[in-house]
Amino acid sequence: MSTSPSSLGATVAGIGEVLQLFRSRPSLTRADVIHLTGLSRSTVNQRIELLVGAELVVPSGEGTPTGGRPASRFTFHYQRGVLLVADIGATGMRTALCDLLGNVKDERERAIDVAAGPDPVLTAAHVMFGELLTAAGRTPQEVFGIGIGVPGPVDFDSRQVVSPPIMSGWDRYDIPGWFADKYSCAVLVDKDVNAMAFGEQRIVYPDVRQMLMVKAGTGIGAGMVLGGEIYRGADGAAGDIGHIQVTVDDAADEPICRCGNTGCVEAYAGGWALVRDLRAAGKEVTTVDDAVALIRTGDTAAVRLARRAGRIIGHAIADSVSLVNPRVVVIGGQLARIEEQLFAGIREMVYRRSLPLATRNLQIVATRLDNRSGLVGLALLLADRIFAPDRVEALVAST
Amino acid sequence: MSTSPSSLGATVAGIGEVLQLFRSRPSLTRADVIHLTGLSRSTVNQRIELLVGAELVVPSGEGTPTGGRPASRFTFHYQRGVLLVADIGATGMRTALCDLLGNVKDERERAIDVAAGPDPVLTAAHVMFGELLTAAGRTPQEVFGIGIGVPGPVDFDSRQVVSPPIMSGWDRYDIPGWFADKYSCAVLVDKDVNAMAFGEQRIVYPDVRQMLMVKAGTGIGAGMVLGGEIYRGADGAAGDIGHIQVTVDDAADEPICRCGNTGCVEAYAGGWALVRDLRAAGKEVTTVDDAVALIRTGDTAAVRLARRAGRIIGHAIADSVSLVNPRVVVIGGQLARIEEQLFAGIREMVYRRSLPLATRNLQIVATRLDNRSGLVGLALLLADRIFAPDRVEALVAST
């Protein structure tokens, strides 16, 4: 509630706030901007002139100047440049080229192995970025920002991957540095599931302020939008629900997790654990996709494992619901495709364990963006970051 | 990151923001206010005049007008009225009279039984409020706000206690309504441990943005300050760690909890559960304070139970650390007084279970405000609420 005096000094709408108005609307007249900001006509004219000079705002179709009259209606120049994003998973990567509003215009997908280390993976992203730029008729100079999502914890301020359990060779790796001689633009790095949470919230649940996004894929992780913003915690480690310890009655021994501990949620219910258990039961599965396909055929042993995984993931979600009381829990990742079998177990545990107050208005749903929420979220996050009000002044000065 | 146009319209510093400046500093000159807000001299003069007229700001000692010159230095009139707060626990209540900055000036304590229901408990608070006012030479008309902390979940917007497991008769009770014919002022209702978290953060850890406060008393609960603000969740149910389910190896059967479930953290490790287990072991204890005293004598069986309680509370804290990644975990409540035996178990579980990234900078500490954090937090929260920038205009108009 307290407002620090220094932030008060910045409350008069600057050029960044004016650009923000254009980003959130199709077009605006000078009078609209005066009305919305309370700024004087001369100040509004000066700010719009600077934004037009930087080609971030352009005169729009209606109200185009005729007979020497200055343009009265303007629009954000979202085609002024492009954004490139790469959502790196454990075994696959999706990349996209987006406009400056964060709309995905073109995308590519290919298999990778994140454990091969940063250089081969980032090289693959760079190749795909080149293909996307060529297809769009764009140059590297037109790239305003790059967004990279990774399947591990990120120290958001230093933009480094930190102590990732499954990303060997990535600890403290300088991802922005890798791109520095290829593009002269901002590089944002975030945890994949944070981007997924942001994409899902912004596109599907714009009015929801508290959302928990669970990625149930090879591993299990969570991202949160709290108070309408991505919540990362003190060190970027928030949302680590895959390594919450659970006790499972029918397990003889606690399975060993990839993190080195025993009894973690993902050691029972992650995609890799399902593959392990299905193989132990004599099933011919190699990948998480194989496991998902087998479960969807209705194979009895596989379905039983899926229901058990649902209850175990549900245990971690119930704890999370008790702690952060979200309005919506969204389940994404490959395992979300076995919705029926998984969700019954999840809902059973959440409604059994969490306070009625926390569940009376709770929705537990599958992702509506399928496997694109990470890509979509990265693009929106990147656009917000590049055009954050406090950065626009420098952006205008540099163009 | 996105700023809505309507909030932009309010970014020019209004009278509320000007009062906010005075609240956060000993005194200010007109020139200081002009400098800090960017407002014109005439606007600043007009706003200060309104605040002086409402007696919320007064000319301060230095720079007092002489020879007809207008005063140049002003200060927040924190003695203009008083705040009354009551921190209601399961078995005891603390009340305080505070100045308008939220500083506790006088306090009272007495035993109550929260399960007796709202009327006797609120009557007791009202009697104590009367005593505090009389002792301070103040009248009910001088009360600017009342803050009530309760040991149960609160729907913060409707200011109602909701589905409280231990507060029979309080569900949906209209606490502000009870006070309506006695005081004509704002009444704020919050969960006790939210107020504790806020008090601890504001007074002891003002630079920490992510804090988890655990109250380990008769029951177990948590409050959070995330991003510098109290985090309440979508329904006010956030922080319910006492009913996270744990499995305990040496327990023959899962104990039944007060909430109706089995195997909850507090059914093993809450004060009431320790009393139950100590009595079952033949110890002469009746209250949680008796149990704490016995543990502090070093009684072997009691110490063993305390260490076990520490590990079980630690399990819930480890889950919370994995999920919200706080910088500081503060333990308060009666059980925090058995610090040595309890903290070893808590730290053991957190460092064993949570990601290194989440624990490398983590502090786990006992409350520094002892059993006064709730009272202190309620007063600060109430002061912030009454003088929230968007409410000051109405306040000025009404005085």
Side-chain angles (χ1 to χ4, degrees):
Chain A
M1 309 264 292
S2 72
T3 308
S4 73
S6 63
S7 76
L8 255 179
T11 50
V12 174
I15 193 165
E17 281 82 11
V18 173
L19 182 61
Q20 179 63 30
L21 290 181
F22 284 104
R23 289 180 61 221
S24 55
R25 285 180 172 69
S27 72
L28 288 168
T29 63
R30 292 175 200 269
D32 292 336
V33 177
I34 291 166
H35 174 71
L36 289 165
T37 59
L39 293 172
S40 70
R41 175 166 293 271
S42 63
T43 306
V44 167
N45 283 342
Q46 180 230 343
R47 293 199 176 145
I48 289 180
E49 195 176 310
L50 283 170
L51 291 170
V52 169
E55 293 178 58
L56 292 172
V57 157
V58 288
S60 73
E62 325 141 57
T64 303
T66 54
R69 265 201 308 121
S72 66
R73 186 169 282 279
F74 298 87
T75 187
F76 176 54
H77 190 9
Y78 62 90
Q79 294 175 309
R80 164 83 164 79
V82 296
L83 307 177
L84 294 171
V85 293
D87 183 19
I88 301 173
T91 58
M93 171 160 55
R94 302 179 79 95
T95 55
L97 180 138
C98 315
D99 66 25
L100 296 186
L101 284 169
N103 298 312
V104 172
K105 307 310 286 183
D106 190 11
E107 55 188 281
R108 298 280 187 281
E109 185 174 10
R110 59 171 281 192
I112 54 136
D113 175 12
V114 76
D119 196 62
V121 172
L122 297 179
T123 298
H126 180 50
V127 169
M128 292 160 86
F129 285 165
E131 292 166 10
L132 287 162
L133 286 171
T134 303
R138 295 286 197 165
T139 66
Q141 289 72 40
E142 291 176 286
V143 179
F144 267 60
I146 290 177
I148 307 288
V150 295
V154 170
D155 182 335
F156 191 71
D157 293 326
S158 73
R159 302 177 295 173
Q160 288 178 333
V161 182
V162 186
S163 315
I166 63 161
M167 299 173 69
S168 50
W170 289 82
D171 189 28
R172 299 271 165 209
Y173 189 82
D174 182 14
I175 295 174
W178 193 92
F179 284 100
D181 65 343
K182 297 165 190 74
Y183 299 89
S184 56
C185 68
V187 178
L188 172 147
V189 181
D190 208 344
K191 189 164 72 163
D192 56 357
V193 69
N194 286 346
M196 292 169 72
F198 192 65
E200 200 79 29
Q201 189 263 339
R202 282 281 290 267
I203 300 296
V204 188
Y205 305 96
D207 298 328
V208 167
R209 308 282 295 165
Q210 335 286 1
M211 197 189 85
L212 178 75
M213 173 95 209
V214 176
K215 182 184 181 186
T218 304
I220 310 268
M224 287 177 280
V225 171
L226 304 183
E229 308 260 356
I230 296 182
Y231 178 78
R232 298 186 175 84
D235 308 279
D240 182 34
I241 68 164
H243 304 285
I244 284 179
Q245 187 178 27
V246 287
T247 307
V248 175
D249 293 340
D250 64 6
D253 293 304
E254 287 195 339
I256 296 168
C257 187
R258 302 185 295 181
C259 73
N261 257 316
T262 59
C264 299
V265 166
E266 79 164 53
Y268 289 105
W272 65 268
L274 291 183
V275 170
R276 175 201 63 203
D277 291 349
L278 287 169
R279 289 172 68 89
K283 306 292 179 185
E284 300 258 337
V285 294
T286 309
T287 65
V288 178
D289 284 334
D290 297 342
V292 168
L294 183 66
I295 292 162
R296 288 171 64 122
T297 65
D299 175 278
T300 313
V303 166
R304 193 178 306 126
L305 266 178
R307 290 209 171 142
R308 178 173 178 266
R311 284 193 298 273
I312 291 166
I313 296 170
H315 182 125
I317 295 176
D319 286 1
S320 306
V321 167
S322 294
L323 194 63
V324 304
N325 180 206
R327 173 69 67 240
V328 178
V329 176
V330 180
I331 318 285
Q334 289 148 287
L335 302 190
R337 279 184 271 140
I338 48 172
E339 193 170 343
E340 190 187 328
Q341 293 86 347
L342 196 77
F343 278 51
I346 290 175
R347 294 201 173 99
E348 173 191 333
M349 289 304 288
V350 172
Y351 291 108
R352 186 199 294 174
R353 297 297 322 171
S354 297
L355 265 191
L357 176 60
T359 56
R360 62 178 182 177
N361 297 315
L362 180 70
Q363 290 181 61
I364 301 174
V365 294
T367 170
R368 296 258 292 276
L369 300 176
D370 196 37
N371 48 13
R372 295 178 67 255
S373 54
L375 215 52
V376 167
L378 275 172
L380 293 171
L381 187 58
L382 183 58
D384 270 3
R385 166 84 16 164
I386 290 169
F387 300 112
D390 59 348
R391 293 175 183 228
V392 171
E393 206 158 324
L395 197 65
V396 166
S398 75
T399 53
Chain B
M1 308 268 291
S2 70
T3 308
S4 72
S6 62
S7 76
L8 255 179
T11 50
V12 174
I15 196 166
E17 282 80 10
V18 174
L19 181 62
Q20 179 63 28
L21 290 180
F22 284 104
R23 287 181 62 222
S24 55
R25 287 181 172 70
S27 71
L28 288 168
T29 63
R30 292 174 199 271
D32 292 336
V33 177
I34 291 166
H35 173 72
L36 289 165
T37 58
L39 293 173
S40 69
R41 175 166 293 271
S42 63
T43 306
V44 166
N45 283 342
Q46 180 231 340
R47 294 203 173 140
I48 289 180
E49 194 176 313
L50 283 170
L51 291 170
V52 170
E55 293 178 60
L56 293 172
V57 158
V58 288
S60 72
E62 326 142 57
T64 303
T66 53
R69 267 199 309 122
S72 64
R73 186 169 281 278
F74 297 88
T75 188
F76 176 56
H77 191 9
Y78 62 90
Q79 295 175 309
R80 164 84 162 77
V82 295
L83 308 176
L84 294 172
V85 293
D87 183 19
I88 301 172
T91 58
M93 170 161 55
R94 302 178 77 95
T95 55
L97 178 138
C98 315
D99 66 26
L100 296 185
L101 283 168
N103 298 312
V104 171
K105 309 308 286 181
D106 190 10
E107 56 189 278
R108 299 278 188 280
E109 185 173 9
R110 58 171 279 191
I112 54 135
D113 175 13
V114 75
D119 196 60
V121 172
L122 296 178
T123 299
H126 180 51
V127 168
M128 290 161 86
F129 286 166
E131 291 166 10
L132 287 162
L133 287 172
T134 303
R138 297 285 197 167
T139 65
Q141 288 71 40
E142 291 174 286
V143 179
F144 267 61
I146 291 177
I148 307 288
V150 295
V154 170
D155 182 335
F156 191 69
D157 293 327
S158 73
R159 301 178 294 173
Q160 287 179 333
V161 182
V162 187
S163 315
I166 63 163
M167 297 173 68
S168 51
W170 289 81
D171 190 29
R172 299 270 165 209
Y173 189 82
D174 181 13
I175 296 175
W178 193 89
F179 284 101
D181 64 344
K182 297 166 188 74
Y183 299 90
S184 56
C185 67
V187 178
L188 172 149
V189 181
D190 209 343
K191 190 165 71 162
D192 55 356
V193 69
N194 287 346
M196 291 171 72
F198 193 65
E200 200 79 30
Q201 190 264 338
R202 281 280 291 267
I203 300 296
V204 187
Y205 305 97
D207 299 329
V208 166
R209 308 282 295 165
Q210 334 287 359
M211 197 189 86
L212 178 74
M213 173 95 211
V214 176
K215 181 184 182 185
T218 304
I220 311 267
M224 288 178 279
V225 172
L226 304 183
E229 309 260 355
I230 296 182
Y231 178 78
R232 297 187 175 85
D235 308 279
D240 182 33
I241 67 166
H243 305 285
I244 285 178
Q245 187 178 29
V246 289
T247 308
V248 175
D249 294 338
D250 64 6
D253 293 304
E254 287 195 339
I256 295 167
C257 186
R258 300 185 295 180
C259 73
N261 259 314
T262 59
C264 299
V265 166
E266 79 164 53
Y268 289 105
W272 65 268
L274 291 183
V275 169
R276 173 202 64 203
D277 291 349
L278 287 169
R279 290 173 68 89
K283 307 291 179 184
E284 300 259 336
V285 295
T286 309
T287 65
V288 177
D289 284 333
D290 295 344
V292 169
L294 182 67
I295 293 161
R296 288 172 65 123
T297 66
D299 176 278
T300 313
V303 165
R304 193 178 306 126
L305 267 178
R307 289 207 172 143
R308 177 174 179 264
R311 285 193 298 274
I312 292 166
I313 296 170
H315 182 125
I317 294 177
D319 286 1
S320 307
V321 166
S322 294
L323 193 66
V324 303
N325 180 205
R327 173 67 68 240
V328 178
V329 176
V330 180
I331 319 284
Q334 288 148 289
L335 302 189
R337 280 185 269 140
I338 48 171
E339 191 169 344
E340 192 187 328
Q341 293 89 345
L342 196 78
F343 278 51
I346 290 175
R347 292 200 174 100
E348 173 192 332
M349 289 304 288
V350 173
Y351 290 109
R352 187 200 293 175
R353 297 298 321 172
S354 297
L355 265 191
L357 176 60
T359 57
R360 62 178 181 177
N361 297 314
L362 179 70
Q363 291 181 60
I364 302 176
V365 293
T367 170
R368 296 258 292 277
L369 300 177
D370 196 37
N371 47 14
R372 297 178 66 250
S373 54
L375 215 52
V376 166
L378 276 173
L380 293 171
L381 187 60
L382 184 59
D384 270 5
R385 167 85 15 165
I386 290 169
F387 301 112
D390 60 347
R391 293 177 183 227
V392 171
E393 206 158 326
L395 198 64
V396 166
S398 74
T399 52

